[in-house]
Amino acid sequence: MKRTLLSAILSILFLVFLLATGCKKTPSSTTNSIPSLTTPDVILDVTSTTAQSGGTITSIGSSALTANGVCYSTTNQTPTVADIATTDPLITTSYTFTSNITGLTPSTTYYLRAYATNAFGTGYGSVVKFTTGSTLTAVFGTVTTFAGNATAGYMDGTGAGAQFNNPEGIAVDAQGNIYVSDTFNNRIRKIASDGTVTTLAGNGIAGYADGPAANAEFYGPEGLTVDAQGNVYVADFGNNVIREITAAGLVSTLAGNTTAGYIDGAATAAEFNSPAGIAMDKQGNFYVADHNNNMIRKITSAGVVSTIAGTKQAGYVNATVNTTTGVNALFNNPNGITIDATGNIFVADGGNSAIREITPAAVVTTVAGGPGQSTLLGNPVGITIDLQGNLYVTDESGRIIEVTAAKVLYVLAGNTNVEGFADGVGSAAQFNVPQGISIDLQGNIYVADFNNNRIRKIVVTDAN
């Protein structure tokens, strides 16, 4: 499965290259030229002694290949074939290869890059860095059902006795209470740490009304977050507004005027277009993934809305350099959003199959994925971060993924393009269009399993 995943990733990268160069059947070459190639930007399934990488040949150069693989070193930060190198089967029918790396030293940092050699020399991809674990075991997740059952409906209760109707957003507070945007029920639900489900706000009508929580109306609510005082904030997707539910049970509109559009300024006059995700920083500012505007918006604690990244144009700017600044960056239907303790924002950029980072200085980079790497991240929709800076992502195609702070990717649970329901360990578990994701202070992960109408719990085992 691991080899198939990486081979698919690399094949898609090469298809993108072909499209960009006029769909030629073979890579271009020049007289007496060496090969050119790329290295995947993340390492897969690192243990204490093994890892997996590979490369994509973008040009064989001006003669046939004589060798290809990856080279790596613990001391040389730009490794060459004079260091340790794999020798993988020569590229003949495709331009991608997978390298299974063995014999590594536990708890050791390595520098690695892909290489390819022809009669005129050796070309190299970019360098990636990774650190092996302390034990042989990789990272995986054990999945159970925390609340809900197969029936799409509305019922408060405990565990499997409760019913949801296509839940999407999810957040956890410091006490372990879970808040869920029960999207097709147009309600916000609360799950206590013992699995008891109650209705926090919404009367079930798809509409727009502020006021007492039981009488309030939402329209397809999606992302949500909760502050230290127990106030819940909701990206009300269908109403194009951001709502607040106070701990005292009153619903009000924080920003937006229900018109689908794009206007910055005073919160009550501002316009959003299908806001999908929301996060909050330590200063009380909110960040919104404005899905159909392809932007990341900010709502200050003083109630002023601005655009910090993106334009209305959907796209992916500087796919090679992977960096641009502020409103010149392009996103493609951003979904989930989260923020770390130092103010860095991370976005599940669904249409680009990428995880993007926005620094406090509004510099946008790509953490993982990007156009041509849809097999790597699929369609990322939900995202959350732990205290160590590890990101957890829901891939709508059916997987739960971890991208560590060291840029190692693990598939914690589920399978690509498998829609079903099964509790279990790792790839034995199944999801059906998973959406929102959140993590508690103990490291337990909770997922809104959209088409299974359930809230799933994942306990991560990381023996590294």
Side-chain angles (χ1 to χ4, degrees):
M1 175 180 163
K2 296 175 185 176
R3 175 177 288 272
T4 301
L5 172 62
L6 189 60
S7 296
I9 294 167
L10 297 171
S11 296
I12 290 174
L13 281 170
F14 179 68
L15 287 174
V16 172
F17 169 80
L18 288 181
L19 291 172
T21 55
C23 297
K24 297 177 182 178
K25 292 184 179 179
T26 59
S28 61
S29 63
T30 59
T31 303
N32 298 341
S33 62
I34 64 174
S36 60
L37 68 164
T38 62
T39 310
D41 55 3
V42 292
I43 301 291
L44 296 180
D45 292 338
V46 176
T47 70
S48 61
T49 60
T50 63
Q52 190 178 93
S53 185
T56 297
I57 310 292
T58 54
S59 172
I60 63 172
S62 50
S63 70
L65 297 181
T66 58
N68 55 255
V70 297
C71 53
Y72 52 96
S73 172
T74 60
T75 57
N76 184 1
Q77 296 189 18
T78 53
T80 70
V81 292
D83 296 300
I84 306 172
T86 66
T87 302
D88 296 306
L90 281 175
I91 296 299
T92 55
T93 59
S94 73
Y95 290 92
T96 66
F97 60 89
T98 298
S99 299
N100 289 311
I101 307 153
T102 60
L104 302 177
T105 302
S107 304
T108 302
T109 297
Y110 287 86
Y111 303 89
L112 174 148
R113 57 178 173 171
Y115 78 89
T117 303
N118 67 11
F120 299 100
T122 300
Y124 296 94
S126 58
V127 176
V128 295
K129 183 175 76 169
F130 68 97
T131 301
T132 54
S134 59
T135 72
L136 286 171
T137 306
V139 179
F140 60 90
T142 300
V143 181
T144 57
T145 298
F146 192 66
N149 56 61
T151 303
Y154 168 66
M155 184 179 296
D156 287 335
T158 300
Q163 291 179 357
F164 298 87
N165 194 349
N166 296 115
E168 291 201 48
I170 192 165
V172 184
D173 67 17
Q175 290 71 45
N177 299 301
I178 302 165
Y179 301 86
V180 178
S181 288
D182 193 2
T183 303
F184 284 14
N185 275 326
N186 300 296
R187 291 178 166 100
I188 308 303
R189 314 286 290 279
K190 180 179 180 180
I191 311 175
S193 57
D194 65 355
T196 301
V197 180
T198 57
T199 299
L200 183 71
N203 61 13
I205 297 173
Y208 173 68
D210 287 333
N215 300 326
E217 295 176 1
F218 298 84
Y219 187 5
E222 292 199 8
L224 47 76
T225 190
V226 58
D227 67 17
Q229 290 71 47
N231 304 303
V232 177
Y233 304 88
V234 183
D236 195 352
F237 188 87
N239 279 321
N240 305 296
V241 296
I242 306 302
R243 313 288 289 278
E244 178 183 4
I245 308 167
T246 68
L250 291 176
V251 177
S252 61
T253 299
L254 183 71
N257 61 15
T258 74
T259 299
Y262 169 62
I263 294 176
D264 283 336
T268 54
E271 292 180 359
F272 299 85
N273 194 344
S274 301
I278 184 169
M280 184 181 188
D281 68 16
K282 292 181 177 180
Q283 291 72 44
N285 303 302
F286 295 93
Y287 300 87
V288 178
D290 197 357
H291 184 80
N292 284 345
N293 274 329
N294 303 300
M295 296 170 177
I296 307 304
R297 315 284 292 279
K298 178 179 181 179
I299 309 169
T300 68
S301 55
V304 178
V305 177
S306 61
T307 300
I308 64 167
T311 73
K312 292 182 72 174
Q313 176 186 351
Y316 180 75
V317 168
N318 292 346
T320 300
V321 179
N322 279 350
T323 181
T324 187
T325 302
V327 295
N328 295 317
L330 295 181
F331 296 82
N332 190 347
N333 294 136
N335 291 299
I337 190 168
T338 192
I339 188 166
D340 69 14
T342 58
N344 298 297
I345 301 164
F346 299 88
V347 180
D349 192 4
N352 282 322
S353 298
I355 302 303
R356 314 288 290 279
E357 179 180 0
I358 310 170
T359 70
V363 176
V364 179
T365 56
T366 297
V367 175
Q373 299 191 56
S374 60
T375 306
L376 182 67
L377 286 172
N379 182 17
V381 286
I383 187 168
T384 192
I385 192 167
D386 66 18
L387 296 176
Q388 291 73 44
N390 304 305
L391 294 165
Y392 302 89
V393 181
T394 51
D395 170 10
E396 200 171 54
S397 74
R399 300 176 301 166
I400 312 303
I401 294 169
E402 178 182 359
V403 180
T404 71
K407 295 195 73 173
V408 175
L409 186 147
Y410 297 101
V411 177
L412 297 179
N415 297 274
T416 303
N417 298 324
V418 175
E419 296 180 351
F421 169 72
D423 287 333
V425 178
S427 61
Q430 293 180 357
F431 298 83
N432 198 338
V433 192
Q435 297 290 308
I437 187 168
S438 191
I439 189 167
D440 67 17
L441 294 177
Q442 288 71 47
N444 301 303
I445 297 168
Y446 298 90
V447 174
D449 195 358
F450 185 76
N451 278 340
N452 279 324
N453 303 299
R454 292 174 166 100
I455 305 304
R456 313 289 290 278
K457 179 180 180 180
I458 305 174
V459 176
V460 178
T461 298
D462 183 356
N464 293 328

